[in-house]
Amino acid sequence: SAKFVEEAPPSRVLHIRKLPNEASETEVIALGLPFGKVTNILTLKGKNQAFLEMGTEEAAITMVNYYTTVTPHIRNVPVFIQYSNHKELKTDAGNQRTQAVLQAVSAVQSGGSPSSDVQEALAATSSPVLRIIIDNMFYPVTLDVLQQIFSKFGTVMKIITFTKNNQFQALLQFSDPVNAQQAKLALDGQNIYNSCCTLRIDFSKLVNLNVKYNNDKSRDYTRPELPAGDGQPSIDPTVAAAFSKDSNSLLGKIPGALNPLSAAAAAAAAAGRVALAGQTGSSGVLLVSNLNEEVSNTRPNTTRVYGDVQRVKILYNKKDSALIQMSDANQAQLAMSHLNGQKMYGKIIRVTLSKHQTVALPRDGLDDQGLTKDYANSPLHRFKKPGSKNFQNIFPPSATLHLSNIPQDVTEDDLRLLFSNAGGTVKAFKFFQDRKMALIQMSTVEEAIQALIDLHNYNMGGNQHLRVSFSKSTI
């Protein structure tokens, strides 16, 4: 039977167990920092334990309640916290190291700056630079979004974003290591948007970042005069203003995780080109770039998932780019937020709103080598009917596809074969009860995008066209 340990009543002294061998006092103190003033610490090195004294009993209670729902980690090892039987810590005041660390921490908390020897002691235990990896990135996360979330914990000085191993990553430098510890503590494992974009945070080996350009990939907030660099849009001031104005609605307050917001608003906001304060771009035209040229003249099926494509023009002098005109600005916004940064035919595509209001057709008699196509009268539009239910079933690209309009005599094997021939591996398949609809799961999102491009509106015979869209369900 389980052993029942009698729990001590609430106390401002907390007993922390199962610390990793190399845990430092600063790291233990950092556990308490978000909840209030830390007044003392005693570490029992050989036993992997510590006692932490908080300024008030309320702070200690808040801390214990929080950590019963979110397991605290030090150096990626889970640690255990409970009330101590001690009501206060009587330690040798001559322990200068401890006093120095505490003094430094309280100075930082009250807004002062710690003395230099103390700063060194703190810096030795942690870096002001965090390395951030974002998992399940269904919506684009921009540098501005990161700045907004992390600046709740202190002054963000510099951010560099990059893609490594197909994952969006960032390095973010605070003005002080203590802020980096607080941010890591509160945010590691949290989702930026509802059930996606999970933050994975650890300390970087770097203690200072070198930023050359201020643009949408990197920023040094201490040096606004830096150039934007080649071919990188510098920050659109309306977007920056909207972000700072609307900080409450975009990402809520810690520690209730980061507030979920409506998926479309999140997507649009994260796409970074939307002024949240009500001015939205009115263009229904998208500029899509970094397309794979060998296949860029395929049907515009991926953008069709997010609205009705009216016209497509591949740029004559830049064949990896195309202008795509949607029916309206909302459809363009939706397509941009879901498709920007997705991988298609082996390349990560970029989708932004174009300055053009429409895509012009070539003048009569002029041959533009088939680069412009007009789909205005296509019978295949998904969203023609006003108030179409289809709008409620728009999801970001996913490995699972929703199939509908399946003819009666078509079997699971037929569909599996059709989809594996599109160049991919079918991981799972499931018919709905009426067999007119099904879910099919490919092994990657890229394969699913590919299959959708190739097979949406595929003629299944008897003038029945297969309908394919991304699904939010998994099998």
Side-chain angles (χ1 to χ4, degrees):
S1 71
K3 282 193 306 198
F4 284 102
V5 180
E6 196 176 316
E7 283 199 16
S11 155
R12 67 191 184 101
V13 179
L14 301 171
H15 181 202
I16 303 169
R17 298 175 297 121
K18 305 222 172 148
L19 291 167
N21 289 332
E22 64 281 12
S24 68
E25 289 170 329
T26 316
E27 286 170 301
V28 176
I29 291 171
L31 293 178
L33 282 181
F35 306 95
K37 202 168 157 67
V38 176
T39 46
N40 211 339
I41 180 171
L42 171 65
T43 47
L44 310 173
K45 280 276 187 247
K47 289 189 166 172
N48 301 77
Q49 298 183 12
F51 291 96
L52 193 67
E53 180 187 274
M54 301 298 287
T56 64
E57 201 171 284
E58 287 76 28
I61 292 171
T62 312
M63 178 171 164
V64 169
N65 290 347
Y66 178 75
Y67 287 133
T68 41
T69 55
V70 180
T71 308
H73 286 71
I74 288 184
R75 305 198 175 215
N76 294 330
V77 176
V79 297
F80 298 89
I81 298 183
Q82 64 200 56
Y83 299 115
S84 161
N85 291 317
H86 301 284
K87 285 296 174 209
E88 60 176 321
L89 280 185
K90 294 192 173 60
T91 57
D92 175 10
N95 180 344
Q96 283 173 321
R97 160 94 181 114
T98 302
Q99 291 311 312
V101 172
L102 282 167
Q103 180 199 333
V105 168
S106 55
V108 171
Q109 273 199 316
S110 56
S113 60
S115 63
S116 60
D117 57 328
V118 170
Q119 255 176 332
E120 277 165 32
L122 275 172
T125 57
S126 76
S127 156
V129 180
L130 295 175
R131 187 175 65 121
I132 302 156
I133 295 178
I134 298 184
D135 283 343
N136 308 326
M137 192 155 141
F138 297 147
Y139 296 124
V141 172
T142 63
L143 188 144
D144 292 299
V145 168
L146 290 176
Q147 193 269 340
Q148 204 178 342
I149 298 169
F150 282 83
S151 59
K152 289 185 164 66
F153 297 89
T155 307
V156 173
M157 294 174 72
K158 303 169 189 179
I159 304 179
I160 297 173
T161 63
F162 53 96
T163 303
K164 187 176 174 184
N165 306 336
N166 274 338
Q167 264 190 321
F168 178 84
Q169 302 196 12
L171 292 169
L172 181 144
Q173 181 175 344
F174 279 103
S175 56
D176 192 287
V178 171
N179 304 130
Q181 287 191 319
Q182 290 174 327
K184 175 180 185 299
L185 208 68
L187 296 175
D188 190 21
Q190 299 277 16
N191 292 333
I192 298 180
Y193 300 123
N194 214 357
S195 67
C196 75
C197 301
T198 310
L199 293 162
R200 303 270 171 242
I201 303 172
D202 51 42
F203 291 108
S204 168
K205 300 278 185 291
L206 301 169
V207 288
N208 189 24
L209 298 179
N210 179 23
V211 175
K212 292 193 175 66
Y213 302 116
N214 280 340
N215 54 37
D216 60 4
K217 299 270 190 295
S218 63
R219 195 82 53 81
D220 185 338
Y221 295 95
T222 62
R223 300 179 61 201
E225 75 285 356
L226 286 175
D230 295 340
Q232 278 296 339
S234 55
I235 298 315
D236 179 340
T238 55
V239 173
F243 267 108
S244 55
K245 245 216 296 276
D246 211 17
S247 59
N248 289 347
S249 71
L250 181 59
L251 300 158
K253 298 181 179 57
I254 313 295
L258 314 173
N259 265 8
L261 62 170
S262 89
R273 286 285 164 267
V274 197
L276 295 177
Q279 329 91 305
T280 45
S282 57
S283 162
V285 179
L286 296 167
L287 172 62
V288 184
S289 52
N290 203 31
L291 292 164
N292 186 322
E293 288 180 37
E294 289 153 36
V295 283
S296 61
N297 216 347
T298 54
R299 305 188 301 281
N301 257 342
T302 37
T303 47
R304 274 200 181 133
V305 175
Y306 301 109
D308 292 331
V309 172
Q310 302 296 314
R311 290 176 185 167
V312 176
K313 183 187 199 81
I314 291 174
L315 303 189
Y316 182 74
N317 52 358
K318 203 168 177 321
K319 299 267 195 310
D320 75 341
S321 301
L323 291 171
I324 298 184
Q325 182 179 337
M326 308 294 285
S327 295
D328 61 37
N330 284 346
Q331 292 183 3
Q333 195 70 67
L334 210 54
M336 171 177 78
S337 56
H338 284 321
L339 294 174
N340 186 31
Q342 289 290 344
K343 203 166 181 196
M344 225 165 96
Y345 294 107
K347 296 180 77 171
I348 304 259
I349 60 167
R350 273 188 79 88
V351 184
T352 55
L353 290 179
S354 165
K355 294 189 284 286
H356 298 279
Q357 294 301 308
T358 58
V359 171
L361 289 171
R363 290 203 300 281
D364 278 353
L366 280 181
D367 174 24
D368 77 343
Q369 297 164 7
L371 294 178
T372 308
K373 292 204 171 24
D374 189 3
Y375 295 96
N377 300 318
S378 161
L380 303 175
H381 288 322
R382 297 177 188 237
F383 303 104
K384 265 225 290 270
K385 300 187 193 81
S388 164
K389 264 271 186 44
N390 287 347
F391 269 122
Q392 295 162 22
N393 296 317
I394 295 178
F395 302 111
S398 58
T400 305
L401 296 168
H402 179 274
L403 316 182
S404 58
N405 214 23
I406 301 170
Q408 286 295 281
D409 50 354
V410 169
T411 65
E412 172 175 339
D413 285 348
D414 296 333
L415 288 165
R416 278 179 175 266
L417 187 66
L418 185 63
F419 277 78
S420 50
N421 282 347
T425 311
V426 175
K427 294 288 272 272
F429 181 93
K430 183 172 124 195
F431 265 123
F432 285 74
Q433 266 178 322
D434 62 0
R435 296 182 69 86
K436 285 190 185 136
M437 296 195 288
L439 292 177
I440 191 161
Q441 185 182 340
M442 307 303 286
S443 63
T444 64
V445 175
E446 189 183 4
E447 284 182 8
I449 292 176
Q450 183 73 51
L452 182 143
I453 293 172
D454 293 345
L455 298 173
H456 176 60
N457 285 321
Y458 184 82
N459 190 344
M460 302 291 286
N463 208 15
Q464 267 192 289
H465 288 84
L466 184 66
R467 292 193 166 275
V468 183
S469 57
F470 298 117
S471 169
K472 67 167 185 201
S473 313
T474 48
I475 306 177

